[in-house]
Amino acid sequence: MSKYIDVFNGDADGIFSLIQLRKSHPITAYDKQILITGVKRDIALVSKIDENLANDAQITVLDVSFDKNDKDVKRVLEHCQSLFYCDHHKADKLFEHKNLKTVINTEPTVCTGLLINNMLNDKNVLWAVAAIYGDGLDNVASEHVKRLGLTQTQCEQLKELGILVNYNGYGNSVADLYFDPADLYQRLVNYDNPFEVVNDSESPYQLLKQGYEADIAKADASEQLVDDDLIVVILEDAPWARRISGTYGNQLAATNLGKPVVIVTDNSKGSYAISLRAPKDNPYGASTICSQFNTGGGREGAAGINALPKNDLNKFVEVVRKYYT
C-alpha cells in the first residue's frame, strides 16, 4: 500500500487543483490518501506533517506559499519518498533537492489550477476554468472559455461555482465555513465535471449560493470609503464578514478596474484581517505591500494580513494609496 499526502489551500484554486490532479492520477482503493488543508489563510500547512507521517509518503502541496513552508519542506524531504510543489505565490526561498519537484510561477495572470491544467494538457480543463474564476482572474478564464467554445450559460456556471467554492474558504477557523475544505473536496471530486455540481439539487453548490447571496447583501450595506485613489470597506467581527471578505474584494476589484481594494475585517483579537486586491489594470504589488507588515503575504494581484494592529490601519491604507498613485 502506498501513502499519499495531499496538502492544499482550502479555497477554489487549491480544491480544484487537487481535483484535476486526482482525476488524472487517482488513488486506488489499496492506497491511503491523507488530506491536509484548512481555511484559506491557513497556509503553513506542511508543518502539520510530522516525521512519522512523512515517512515513505508521496506528498503533493498545492496553492500555498513556498516561503511560508520552506523549513518544513526541508524537514519532510528527509523522510518522504517524493514531494511535488505547485503554486503561484512568492517563492524567494525556493531550493533544489533530489526528492523535490516544483512548478511555481508568480505572474499575476497565473493560478495553481492553471499550472496544473498546463501540466495535464487540458485533461480536466473545466475544473481549471472554475479555479481561474475562483481566483478572480476573469480575463484569463474568458480566454479559455472562448478557446473551448463554451456557451454563455456554461461560462456563468463555471464562474459562479468558482466564486462560491472560493467564498467557502474564508474564515478565522473551519467553524466559520459552510464546509470543511477537506469535506468539500471529497464531495466535489465525485462529480465528473463542474456542470454536474451546479445541476445537482443536493450538491454543496446550493447551500453555498444561498449563503453567499445573504453575505453579499450585508457587505453591500457595510461602511465604505470610496475616493479617486482606492476603495476601503470595513466589515464587522462576525462569521458572515469573515466568509465574504476575500470574495467581496474580488467583486469590487472587477468592477473598479483602476483602483486597489482594501477589505478590513474586525476580529476578536483586537486587530484587523486585511484583504488587498491590486487594481486590475495594474495587477502587481499586493504581496510587496502586505509583506511589509507582520503576518502579511500573498501574491502580486491579491494578498492579505492576518492580524494588523488597529492603530496601523491608517498607515497601511496610506502605503496602498502611495504605491498605486
Side-chain angles (χ1 to χ4, degrees):
M1 181 180 74
S2 298
K3 179 169 59 176
Y4 296 86
I5 303 175
D6 289 335
V7 182
F8 59 103
N9 195 293
D11 69 353
D13 199 19
I15 290 173
F16 291 140
S17 293
L18 184 57
I19 288 175
Q20 289 182 77
L21 200 60
R22 286 295 162 235
K23 283 188 172 297
S24 295
H25 303 287
I27 295 173
T28 72
Y30 300 101
D31 295 325
K32 182 177 182 180
Q33 181 186 34
I34 299 165
L35 302 176
I36 297 179
T37 186
V39 298
K40 182 178 176 66
R41 290 176 183 267
D42 188 0
I43 56 175
L45 293 175
V46 183
S47 66
K48 299 182 180 182
I49 306 175
D50 62 29
E51 285 74 11
N52 288 333
L53 188 61
N55 186 47
D56 205 32
Q58 297 179 51
I59 302 174
T60 296
V61 185
L62 301 170
D63 199 42
V64 290
S65 167
F66 193 93
D67 286 356
K68 299 293 184 181
N69 290 276
D70 65 301
K71 293 180 181 178
D72 287 301
V73 169
K74 288 179 181 177
R75 175 177 55 81
V76 301
L77 278 170
E78 300 308 314
H79 304 274
C80 69
Q81 186 180 128
S82 64
L83 196 157
F84 170 61
Y85 206 116
C86 184
D87 186 46
H88 63 128
H89 300 87
K90 285 183 66 176
D92 295 338
K93 300 177 182 178
L94 190 61
F95 59 86
E96 294 184 357
H97 188 282
K98 61 182 177 65
N99 294 333
L100 175 65
K101 177 185 177 182
T102 61
V103 176
I104 294 179
N105 185 333
T106 61
E107 284 297 309
T109 54
V110 167
C111 67
T112 306
L114 181 57
L115 296 176
I116 294 293
N117 178 68
N118 293 342
M119 188 178 75
L120 297 176
N121 296 314
D122 270 359
K123 190 171 182 181
N124 300 295
V125 66
L126 295 177
W127 297 103
V129 175
I132 298 166
Y133 273 127
D135 234 31
L137 302 176
D138 289 15
N139 290 339
V140 179
S142 295
E143 293 174 3
H144 289 275
V145 165
K146 293 176 183 177
R147 176 175 67 85
L148 296 168
L150 301 179
T151 67
Q152 183 63 32
T153 297
Q154 289 174 322
C155 169
E156 291 170 357
Q157 289 178 335
L158 291 175
K159 182 175 182 178
E160 186 169 43
L161 182 62
I163 289 172
L164 293 177
V165 173
N166 203 57
Y167 153 77
N168 183 76
Y170 284 90
N172 281 354
S173 69
V174 170
D176 286 337
L177 313 183
Y178 281 99
F179 296 95
D180 183 313
D183 178 47
L184 186 56
Y185 160 77
Q186 289 174 316
R187 290 176 183 234
L188 296 179
V189 76
N190 289 321
Y191 291 91
D192 287 339
N193 60 66
F195 302 126
E196 288 189 359
V197 181
V198 174
N199 293 320
D200 181 4
S201 62
E202 301 298 321
S203 80
Y205 166 86
Q206 308 300 336
L207 179 59
L208 291 175
K209 182 177 174 64
Q210 293 173 13
Y212 175 80
E213 290 174 349
D215 290 352
I216 278 287
K218 293 177 182 177
D220 283 337
S222 297
E223 178 184 353
Q224 300 193 13
L225 164 67
V226 182
D227 60 28
D228 292 339
D229 299 328
L230 79 172
I231 298 172
V232 180
V233 180
I234 310 292
L235 302 180
E236 64 178 273
D237 176 13
W240 73 264
R242 294 189 286 272
R243 285 195 300 266
I244 204 63
S245 59
T247 310
Y248 194 55
N250 288 345
Q251 176 179 301
L252 290 175
T255 54
N256 297 271
L257 301 183
K259 296 180 180 181
V261 176
V262 178
I263 307 294
V264 182
T265 309
D266 202 349
N267 65 44
S268 57
K269 300 175 183 177
S271 59
Y272 292 122
I274 302 293
S275 288
L276 172 63
R277 300 295 180 264
K280 288 294 185 181
D281 60 3
N282 180 22
Y284 294 88
S287 61
T288 300
I289 293 171
C290 290
S291 295
Q292 297 177 39
F293 297 82
N294 191 30
T295 74
R299 53 187 173 86
E300 290 284 359
I305 303 172
N306 288 344
L308 179 74
K310 290 189 173 182
N311 57 9
D312 282 348
L313 179 59
N314 289 338
K315 176 184 176 182
F316 174 78
V317 170
E318 289 311 307
V319 169
V320 174
R321 188 190 302 276
K322 184 177 180 181
Y323 189 94
Y324 291 111
T325 56

